[in-house]
Amino acid sequence: MPCKCTVAGCKSGYDSHVTPASVSFHKFPTDQGVLAQWLQQMSREPTYQPGKQTRVCSLHFLESDFVTESQDTNARRKRKKSGYTHEPVILSNRRLKREAVPTQFGDVGGAKASQAKLKSKCKSTSTSPTKSNSTIKKSAKKCKKVKPLPLRRRQPNAITESVFQEHMELFNASSIDKFGDLVQKFEDRRKSSKPAGFATLLTDSSFNIMQISVGPPPSVQNSIVVSRQLEVTVYRGPERLLPSEYQHIVPADELLNSVEQLNGLMTFVKSHD
C-alpha cells in the first residue's frame, strides 16, 4: 500500500501530487516522550493514537535528523562488494534518528500551493500595465474573500402547519402505549366507524374482538386477542394464524401501537371469510 503523509496540508504520497523519489516515509516513534513531542509539533491532541500505516514524510525533518550512511560489518558481503579489499562499504539506506522530531511545516508537500497561486494571480492583476483600471478593479474583486449571504429564515406556512396539526391530532388519538389506552380509544373510535359484525369482550388478561356469525346458531368465525402486554394473536375459527400472515399490519415481534392497526386486523379477518 503506498504511503501517504499524515501531516495536515501535506500531499506527499497522494496521486494528485508528484512526490520526489528521494522523499521517505517514517513511522511514529514508540518512545512516549518523543511521541509527545511529535504530536505537539504537529498540533495533534495528546490522546491521538497513530495507526500502523500512519506515516510522516521526510520533508518535515531537518537533514541532521537522518543517518544517511553507515559501515557494513558483514565481512563476507564486504568482500563481495569491494573486491576483497578492506575498504568499508557505504550503505545507501537512510534512517531517521530515534530522538528526531518533525519541525518543518512550512510550504512543503504542496500544502500552500493553492494559496500561492491565488496570491500570484491577485498580484499580477493589480500590477499589469496593459489592462485598464476598470478591468483591474473587476479582477481584484474576484480575489477578495466572498462573504456568505445571510440565511433567510423561512416564514411558516399556515396551511402546512394546519395540516401537520391535524395529522398530529389523529396520531395522538390513535396511538397507544398501554392496555388501558387501547380499550378506551377503541371504544371511542368504534362509535364513529368500525367494521360491522364484531363484538368485544374485556377480561382480566386480554381484550377480545370477535367476528360473529348470526347463524343460527350464532358462532365466532374469527377473533383477535390482545394481551395486557399488547401482544396480538389472530384466530380463524379455532386455528391460530401465523404472525407472518398479518405482518403487513402488525410487524412480527412487535407490539400493537395504534387503534388503526386493530381496525386493519378486523378488516383483514373479515376479508378472509
Side-chain angles (χ1 to χ4, degrees), residues 5-11 42 44 55-57 60 102 104-105:
C5 184
T6 189
V7 173
C10 184
K11 298 180 181 179
M42 296 170 63
R44 294 292 180 93
R55 299 287 190 275
V56 175
C57 76
H60 304 290
Q104 306 303 302
F105 300 100

Side-chain angles (χ1 to χ4, degrees), residues 76-123:
R76 182 178 180 182
R77 186 167 57 246
K78 180 190 299 182
R79 288 195 299 270
K80 183 177 180 181
K81 291 185 177 180
S82 61
Y84 296 94
T85 66
H86 295 286
E87 297 178 1
V89 177
I90 304 300
L91 297 181
S92 60
N93 65 312
R94 195 162 180 253
R95 179 171 56 84
L96 189 65
K97 295 180 181 179
R98 291 184 178 181
E99 68 276 9
V101 177
T103 57
Q104 306 303 302
F105 300 100
D107 187 14
V108 296
K112 296 184 179 180
S114 58
Q115 296 182 11
K117 184 177 180 181
L118 179 61
K119 289 181 180 179
S120 175
K121 182 178 178 181
C122 293
K123 184 177 180 180

Side-chain angles (χ1 to χ4, degrees), residues 175-187 200-209 224-232 255-259 262:
S175 62
I176 54 177
D177 55 8
K178 57 185 179 179
F179 188 77
D181 290 343
L182 165 66
V183 177
Q184 180 63 44
K185 292 185 178 182
F186 179 80
E187 293 298 335
T200 60
L201 175 65
L202 177 63
T203 68
D204 293 337
S205 60
S206 64
F207 182 59
N208 306 272
I209 303 174
I224 304 168
V225 180
V226 184
S227 69
R228 284 193 169 271
Q229 290 75 34
L230 298 180
E231 298 173 337
V232 179
L255 302 178
L256 192 73
N257 57 42
S258 73
V259 177
L262 202 52

